[in-house]
Amino acid sequence: MNWATELFGTEKPIIAMCHLRALPGDLDYDEGRGMEYIVTKAREDFLALQEGGVDAVMFSNEFSLPYLKKVKPETTAAMARVIGELKSEIKIPFGVNVLWDPYASLDLAAATGACFIREVMSGVYAGDLGLWDNDAGEISRHKKRLGLRIK
């Protein structure tokens, strides 16, 4: 049995995305509506996905545009707050993706109990973020320091 089958109960899981609205520190963050709005919208989206029958959900800061290669602590903290407020309602496996920062994704997984992350962990890429070179050795050591066993 592979790790996906063990975690999701199926060989080909449907993993839905719960994209969080712009967070504190993001250019489009709505200070007037604040974090309560972000939590409310995330709850609505998450429950629709969970009740719709997906096998898992991944929380992501999709609206933190333009993306950073190293996010600020307020992004990870805000995402942890949202997931923490939803935690009692989460009945399926969940993962996290802090675009595009593997360290922050691992930190958020450790803080929230996420079962998996999605992130670019190695290689050199050229794209909209410029040259992007992640150090797989350092990232792996960070994961070990956090005591994570996630995939």
Side-chain angles (χ1 to χ4, degrees):
M1 184 179 301
N2 65 35
W3 74 270
T5 304
E6 284 182 29
L7 179 58
F8 305 116
T10 183
E11 189 174 321
K12 295 182 180 183
I14 297 173
I15 302 172
M17 298 298 296
C18 185
H19 295 303
L20 305 181
R21 302 317 193 267
L23 301 165
D26 291 340
L27 298 177
D28 289 332
Y29 175 62
D30 187 336
E31 293 178 23
R33 290 181 168 171
M35 280 296 299
E36 294 303 322
Y37 173 74
I38 295 168
V39 172
T40 297
K41 297 309 283 182
R43 177 175 283 112
E44 290 172 6
D45 292 349
F46 170 76
L47 290 174
L49 295 168
Q50 181 171 261
E51 292 166 10
V54 300
D55 300 304
V57 169
M58 180 173 300
F59 294 94
S60 178
N61 61 321
E62 186 70 25
F63 293 99
S64 293
L65 297 166
Y67 301 129
L68 299 170
K69 290 183 270 186
K70 177 154 180 47
V71 302
K72 303 299 181 196
E74 59 265 25
T75 299
T76 309
M79 292 180 74
R81 176 180 171 187
V82 171
I83 295 167
E85 291 202 29
L86 300 179
K87 193 76 184 252
S88 66
E89 300 169 73
I90 300 174
K91 308 296 182 213
I92 56 178
F94 74 93
V96 296
N97 180 210
V98 184
L99 295 161
W100 284 108
D101 186 337
Y103 298 97
S105 291
L106 291 168
D107 293 341
L108 183 59
T112 62
C115 300
F116 59 97
I117 69 168
R118 180 184 77 176
E119 196 53 77
V120 177
M121 306 294 259
S122 64
V124 176
Y125 305 90
D128 59 339
L129 300 176
L131 285 179
W132 185 7
D133 183 10
N134 285 330
D135 184 339
E138 188 57 42
I139 295 165
S140 298
R141 284 165 177 77
H142 187 68
K143 178 180 170 186
K144 180 157 177 67
R145 284 191 300 272
L146 293 172
L148 294 173
R149 296 177 175 244
I150 61 173
K151 299 291 183 184

